[in-house]
Amino acid sequence: MASTTASAADAPAHAKTVRAKGRLYRGDLGMWSWVAHRITGVLTFFFLFVHVLDTALVRVSPNAYDTVIETYKHPVMILFELGLLAAVLFHAFNGIRVMLVDFWSQGTKYQKPMLWTVLALWLVLMVPAAISMLTRAVTEIFGG
């Protein structure tokens, strides 16, 4: 009786693939975009969670709320604000790209150019914001 499946001995020698050691998947920019989208989403979620909690403090203890708000005015917190801005901007732009890939018939064809557009828009908006926010932080730390 003949078998419809080929055995390993019948497989051609060139069909064997060599897997790179130390990596599960050697992805391209799309994979890193996927990872960054998940990370920025989680970071944004935790920011919103903390924001709801610290805002709720005003009903529990106005003094505790004032103390928390004072810590947010520290110049080092500007770095966290900058990180939050970077995460939210990337997540928003990449989310639009993901929706276009999912719902636009030509989306998969243009997903790589759209990713480069997302990164370019993110950079164009982040550079002036970073300069402005870091200038403010340095001015507050050193006076001016």
Side-chain angles (χ1 to χ4, degrees):
M1 177 180 215
S3 172
T4 58
T5 59
S7 67
D10 297 335
H14 63 81
K16 294 180 182 177
T17 57
V18 178
R19 197 170 134 185
K21 292 185 178 185
R23 288 188 172 180
L24 290 174
Y25 175 67
R26 291 185 297 167
D28 62 354
L29 197 57
M31 183 204 65
W32 293 112
S33 161
W34 180 86
V35 170
H37 192 73
R38 292 333 183 254
I39 290 170
T40 57
V42 169
L43 291 174
T44 303
F45 169 78
F46 280 119
F47 164 76
L48 290 173
F49 181 71
V50 170
H51 179 63
V52 167
L53 287 178
D54 68 17
T55 304
L57 272 176
V58 77
R59 308 247 312 126
V60 175
S61 170
N63 290 335
Y65 174 79
D66 290 340
T67 303
V68 169
I69 295 303
E70 280 302 313
T71 62
Y72 291 159
K73 292 180 182 178
H74 194 276
V76 173
M77 291 303 289
I78 293 173
L79 296 175
F80 289 106
E81 289 178 7
L82 187 59
L84 175 65
L85 178 63
V88 168
L89 276 178
F90 178 80
H91 193 77
F93 289 145
N94 196 50
I96 293 168
R97 182 188 73 88
V98 168
M99 286 188 294
L100 286 172
V101 168
D102 286 347
F103 297 115
W104 181 33
S105 63
Q106 299 292 314
T108 54
K109 181 180 178 182
Y110 295 109
Q111 70 174 336
K112 196 163 276 203
M114 286 191 294
L115 178 57
W116 284 111
T117 303
V118 164
L119 294 174
L121 282 171
W122 182 83
L123 198 62
V124 163
L125 292 173
M126 278 307 298
V127 168
I131 291 170
S132 172
M133 293 173 84
L134 293 175
T135 302
R136 189 178 82 209
V138 168
T139 301
E140 287 185 26
I141 290 173
F142 298 113

